[in-house]
Amino acid sequence: MAHRIITQVVIVGTRVLGRAFVEAWRQAAASQKYAQQASNAAPGAMKNFASSGLTLDEACKILNVKPPQGGKANMEDVMERFKKLFDVNDPRKGGSFYLQSKILRARERIEMEVREAAETAARDAELKEGWKPKVYKDR
C-alpha cells in the first residue's frame, strides 16, 4: 500500500517538474526571439537594457528626475531622490525590498548612462586633439 502512494507522489512530482521545465524552456525561447528582434532594430539599445534591466526612461520615472541631456545629469538631484526613496522603502521600516531594489537599479542605470556619455566625450576629445605623446628632450 505504501509503495503505491510513494509511486503516485513520484509520478505527480515528475509531471509537475516536467511541465514547469517545459514552460520555462518556452519562455526562454520567446525571450531570446524578442531580444534578437530588438537587437536587430537597435543594436546598442539592447546592451544597455540587458545590463541593468531598466531603460533610461523607466529609471528616470522611478526616481522622478529629468533624463540626462547630452549625457549630463544633475547627479546631486538623482542622489537626493535616491536616498529619500531608498530610506522610505526600507523593509525594516515597513517598506518594500522590491521597490528598494528597483530604486537602486534606477540610480545605477542613470549613473551608467552618464558614465558612458563621459567616456564617449573624453574619447572624442582625445581623437579631436590627436595623440600627443609626452616626449622629454633632456633624456
Side-chain angles (χ1 to χ4, degrees), residues 12-106:
V12 170
T14 304
R15 199 182 287 166
V16 167
L17 288 175
R19 287 181 184 165
F21 179 76
V22 168
E23 184 63 29
W25 187 270
R26 287 181 186 155
Q27 284 181 356
S31 176
Q32 184 179 12
K33 285 180 185 177
Y34 172 76
Q36 187 176 15
Q37 288 173 352
S39 68
N40 290 342
M46 202 58 200
K47 177 187 72 105
N48 289 339
F49 176 76
S51 62
S52 69
L54 290 174
T55 63
L56 183 60
D57 290 335
E58 289 174 330
C60 291
K61 286 178 184 177
I62 289 171
L63 291 178
N64 195 23
V65 294
K66 294 179 183 174
Q69 300 295 326
K72 298 187 189 274
N74 186 358
M75 291 308 292
E76 290 143 8
D77 189 31
V78 171
M79 288 305 294
E80 177 184 322
R81 296 288 302 155
F82 165 74
K83 287 178 183 176
K84 179 182 178 206
L85 292 171
F86 195 81
D87 289 341
V88 166
N89 287 295
D90 189 4
R92 286 178 258 147
K93 297 177 184 174
S96 168
F97 178 74
Y98 174 76
L99 291 177
Q100 200 177 39
S101 65
K102 280 291 194 184
I103 292 164
L104 177 66
R105 297 296 169 241

